[in-house]
Amino acid sequence: MILGIGTDLANIDRIAGVLERHGDRFRNRVFTETEQRKAERRRDVAGTYAKRWAAKEACSKALGTGLRMGIAWKDMAVSNLRTGQPVMEVTGWAKERLDAMTPPGHEAIIHVTLTDDHPWAQAFVLIEARPLAGR
C-alpha cells in the first residue's frame, strides 16, 4: 500500500548561487558527508546538489510533514546503490515519522527517482508499506 507521495522541482542555477554565496555553511547544514562527497566528485556539482535538495523536499512531503514539523535536512539522505540507483535513508525525526505512519505487520520502503535537465532538477518519492514476510 502507498503511504505517501512527494515530488519537488529545484532550479540548478539557484542552488549554484546558494553554493557560491554560502558554501560550506549551506552544504554542512543540508547535506550529509556522503552526499557531499558524491556531489563534489561529479562534473555537475550544483546539479547533483539540486537533485538531492529536491529529493529531501519530496521525501518530507511524502512523510506528510514538509520541512516545518521538526524534520532536519540531514534526517533524509540520498545515496546510490552500486548500480547507480538512488536510495533514501531516513534517521532522527524523519525515521520516527516513518515508523509512526507504517501499519503494524508492515515494513516501509522508500522509493526515490531523480532527474535533471538544466536548469531543472526533479525528484519523486513514494513510500510503500509491504507486509512483513510470513504474514
Side-chain angles (χ1 to χ4, degrees), residues 36-73:
Q36 290 180 48
R37 279 194 305 273
K38 173 78 170 181
E40 297 300 326
R41 285 194 316 257
R42 302 299 296 268
R43 187 171 7 124
D44 183 9
V45 172
T48 302
Y49 279 121
K51 286 186 279 191
R52 279 149 179 74
W53 170 280
K56 291 168 186 268
E57 287 275 5
C59 185
S60 72
K61 293 171 185 175
L63 289 167
T65 63
L67 285 159
R68 298 180 189 188
M69 295 181 66
I71 294 178
W73 286 103

Side-chain angles (χ1 to χ4, degrees), residues 37-112:
R37 279 194 305 273
K38 173 78 170 181
E40 297 300 326
R41 285 194 316 257
R42 302 299 296 268
R43 187 171 7 124
D44 183 9
V45 172
T48 302
Y49 279 121
K51 286 186 279 191
R52 279 149 179 74
W53 170 280
K56 291 168 186 268
E57 287 275 5
C59 185
S60 72
K61 293 171 185 175
L63 289 167
T65 63
L67 285 159
R68 298 180 189 188
M69 295 181 66
I71 294 178
W73 286 103
K74 287 180 165 183
D75 284 350
M76 301 165 287
V78 178
S79 60
N80 296 84
L81 300 177
R82 291 178 60 194
T83 61
Q85 176 185 345
V87 292
M88 176 72 69
E89 179 183 352
V90 293
T91 57
W93 200 87
K95 175 73 168 121
E96 291 176 24
R97 171 68 180 150
L98 180 65
D99 291 345
M101 63 192 285
T102 304
H106 290 74
E107 65 177 336
I109 310 295
I110 302 174
H111 303 276
V112 60

